Amino acid sequence: MSANVTQSIPDELFPPPDVVKYLLSTVLNTYVLEILCYAAYTVVYFLSMRQILFSGSSKAQVRRKALASTITILWAVLTMRVGCVWHFINAVYLEHGETRETEFIWMFGPPGLLFIRQ
């Protein structure tokens, strides 16, 4: 299927091979760095939650609940983001990574471009 996709797209739509390699490498490195930062934030999140929940006076309980809710929502959103990134990396590099051209199409091409004249 992917061979048909790359054959049906004109060559002038593709940048030079070294640019394709650079772009794919940059995007992959960005996603890996994002996942590493998420791992560091997870440690900070759990340490902060331990500090919020198990210390402090009862006077500031409303503020502590609001803070705990806020950082929990932020952590949940980031967890969903990392799940989407993980799925995207899997789709581009493992499922459709036969050639650099197919990786480029799946990474940067519009979804409709994949099904033109198959």
Side-chain angles (χ1 to χ4, degrees), residues 47 76 80 82 103 112 118:
L47 291 175
M80 289 185 281
V82 166
E103 289 176 359
Q118 283 190 12

Side-chain angles (χ1 to χ4, degrees), residues 17-27:
D18 57 337
V19 174
V20 169
K21 183 178 178 181
Y22 173 76
L23 289 173
L24 291 172
S25 174
T26 302
V27 170

